[in-house]
Amino acid sequence: FAHAGEAVADDHASSVSYNIGYMSEYWYRGYYMSESSVSFGADAEMGNFYVGTWWADVDKGVEYDIYGGYNFSLMGMPMYAGFTGYYYSDNFDSDYEEINIGADMGFMSIDAAVDGEYQLDAGDQGYQHYTITVPLSIVGLPMDYQYQTWTGEALVGHNHELHYSTTVSGVDVGLMLGRNIDTAHAAGLTDNDDSTYANFTLGYSF
């Protein structure tokens, strides 16, 4: 799964950047993906438009994501709208193609992802996913809290996560602690239902 990250409206000139990363365990939206993972990504920004790709090794092969979208502001609120496609070598999982939209209200942000076939009677392959992020700096803690929930038949359940990140000598360091509840996956993805999980990440951008 995915990695467009949060988009924020701006008007800067075109730019291209690259990133490499390591995860001690690969969890995404409350689902267990791999024992550990090395990743590589590239992003291009052209004014308020952005496109990018993200590749990661997982236990059964390679995941490669493609995403793009547009950052804008509505009544002074940073927002974005775009798409994300998730693809897998050797078809070890189904392909997923999402429509994404999000808004940053300062005290919290909301992100929504709707499977591109959800409204086309996709049966057990349709889903929606929602994330609410609250920066705990409002209570003096240097971390973010996330509540995430799936609706649909292909992917269901919800999870809670705490995220901490900092930069040490130009290297991004992250810690995540989460708990998933009532998760299920129609395609048989290992989900470690009702699990407490943790993740340590390293990343470098250039």
Side-chain angles (χ1 to χ4, degrees):
F1 283 66
H3 306 279
E6 290 188 1
V8 202
D10 58 30
D11 294 302
H12 54 71
S14 300
S15 64
V16 177
S17 62
Y18 305 91
N19 61 83
I20 55 175
Y22 166 79
M23 295 179 279
S24 60
E25 285 190 345
Y26 181 6
W27 289 80
Y28 185 64
R29 293 176 176 171
Y31 279 91
Y32 175 78
M33 303 293 290
S34 179
E35 182 176 348
S36 64
S37 181
V38 175
S39 63
F40 170 80
D43 296 276
E45 298 180 353
M46 299 150 285
N48 283 9
F49 289 95
Y50 64 89
V51 295
T53 185
W54 188 83
W55 296 62
D57 73 293
V58 292
D59 289 339
K60 297 180 180 179
V62 175
E63 170 191 344
Y64 53 101
D65 306 338
I66 299 172
Y67 51 86
Y70 182 73
N71 297 315
F72 60 98
S73 219
L74 182 63
M75 295 185 294
M77 183 185 305
M79 302 183 69
Y80 71 91
F83 71 92
T84 306
Y86 309 95
Y87 309 100
Y88 304 89
S89 64
D90 301 322
N91 297 315
F92 66 83
D93 194 1
S94 302
D95 293 339
Y96 303 93
E97 295 177 335
E98 296 178 346
I99 298 167
N100 310 110
I101 189 167
D104 185 351
M105 293 169 279
F107 64 95
M108 74 172 185
S109 62
I110 299 176
D111 298 272
V114 180
D115 176 76
E117 297 182 349
Y118 186 80
Q119 301 298 334
L120 301 178
D121 193 23
D124 64 3
Q125 293 303 306
Y127 67 85
Q128 299 176 73
H129 182 270
Y130 302 94
T131 301
I132 296 174
T133 303
V134 179
L136 296 184
S137 56
I138 60 176
V139 293
L141 296 175
M143 63 186 67
D144 293 339
Y145 162 75
Q146 282 191 352
Y147 171 75
Q148 303 180 27
T149 183
W150 297 91
T151 62
E153 296 182 32
L155 297 153
V156 296
H158 58 275
N159 60 291
H160 306 269
E161 292 182 354
L162 288 173
H163 293 259
Y164 170 80
S165 61
T166 189
T167 301
V168 179
S169 300
V171 176
D172 298 323
V173 179
L175 296 171
M176 180 269 286
L177 177 65
R179 173 77 181 176
N180 64 9
I181 303 171
D182 298 328
T183 54
H185 188 282
L189 180 68
T190 301
D191 56 15
N192 288 20
D193 190 17
D194 294 329
S195 295
T196 299
Y197 53 93
N199 185 20
F200 168 73
T201 62
L202 295 172
Y204 180 72
S205 299
F206 54 97

